[in-house]
Amino acid sequence: MDVTTDAAAPWLIVGLGNPGPEYAGNRHNVGFMVADLLAERVGGRFKRAGRAQAQVVEGRIGPPGPLNRRVIVAKPMSYMNLSGGPVNALRDLYKVPVAHVVAVHDELDIDYGTLRLKLGGGDNGHNGLKSMTKAFGADYHRVRFGIGRPPGRMPVADFVLKDFSSAERKELDYFVDRAADAVECLVIEGLERAQSTYNS
């Protein structure tokens, strides 16, 4: 069954990243970049969400009528490897089913700028996903934003905590915009349509 048929339940769109200005331009923070753009699109400003260690913007996306969706765009304010706690607290606060959670995150095994959308699956070594899966299971949606593999023998941890290169930054706004479009398509029209449009 396509989960988007449960129109009454809100969607929780989680951009994964690390809080703090020193991490803002890191590859690992591309989820925050997409969340910032989505917040801008729904016309809201991030604010603290109750007791949850997260910032949220509440709004609606989609055309008026049955395809209009209530969304909570969130950025956990814990570090990446502890994302599960804040996201689970938001799920409880807003009564969001697991299948209506969308994690937007960086993905090493995909070329830079390429998107892959899926429901469920493993964490592929991603600490943010690992923490979320531990907190409430794996049956949530993922929008995987390709960052590629580190060059040469650079350790993965160093690569993901470095800013995008100057060459990558030339296209970054376009790719972030496309990822935000993919999230909106997923929430409004369902996974299959979003995959056929954005999985490249």
Side-chain angles (χ1 to χ4, degrees):
M1 185 182 100
D2 191 338
V3 290
T4 54
T5 52
D6 183 8
W11 285 79
L12 176 58
I13 301 161
V14 182
L16 292 179
N18 285 309
E22 68 272 34
Y23 297 106
N26 289 181
R27 293 182 175 93
H28 223 16
N29 269 44
V30 74
F32 272 20
M33 297 173 197
V34 176
D36 286 339
L37 180 56
L38 286 165
E40 214 176 281
R41 289 182 180 185
V42 300
R45 286 174 178 241
F46 281 101
K47 63 180 196 303
R48 193 70 185 259
R51 292 185 180 177
Q53 201 183 351
Q55 291 185 346
V56 299
V57 170
E58 297 177 58
R60 302 193 78 88
I61 60 173
L67 292 179
N68 193 258
R69 308 280 182 235
R70 182 178 168 220
V71 295
I72 298 98
V73 181
K75 297 193 292 189
M77 290 289 109
S78 62
Y79 284 98
M80 176 75 86
N81 59 348
L82 300 171
S83 301
V87 177
N88 212 21
L90 292 173
R91 279 189 57 245
D92 288 345
L93 181 65
Y94 292 103
K95 310 283 186 283
V96 179
V98 174
H100 277 213
V101 176
V102 182
V104 186
H105 65 92
D106 57 304
E107 179 63 65
L108 287 158
D109 286 337
I110 302 174
D111 290 340
Y112 174 61
T114 299
L115 295 176
R116 291 272 191 282
L117 286 79
K118 68 175 194 168
L119 174 63
D123 56 58
N124 210 20
H126 193 288
N127 288 330
L129 299 182
K130 201 173 286 185
S131 179
M132 286 175 60
T133 297
K134 191 176 176 187
F136 51 83
D139 295 331
Y140 53 92
H141 288 86
R142 298 101 192 275
V143 174
R144 304 155 74 203
F145 186 111
I147 59 169
R149 280 264 159 203
R153 293 173 176 235
M154 185 190 289
V156 164
D158 292 349
F159 179 70
V160 300
L161 294 176
K162 275 193 164 46
D163 287 1
F164 286 100
S165 69
S166 54
E168 288 170 335
R169 282 199 296 273
K170 286 176 184 163
E171 295 183 296
L172 184 58
D173 287 350
Y174 167 76
F175 288 139
V176 167
D177 194 66
R178 193 164 182 272
D181 290 347
V183 171
E184 291 188 351
C185 183
L186 164 63
V187 169
I188 297 164
E189 300 186 67
L191 179 62
E192 223 170 273
R193 171 62 66 87
Q195 284 175 326
S196 67
T197 307
Y198 293 98
N199 277 14
S200 46

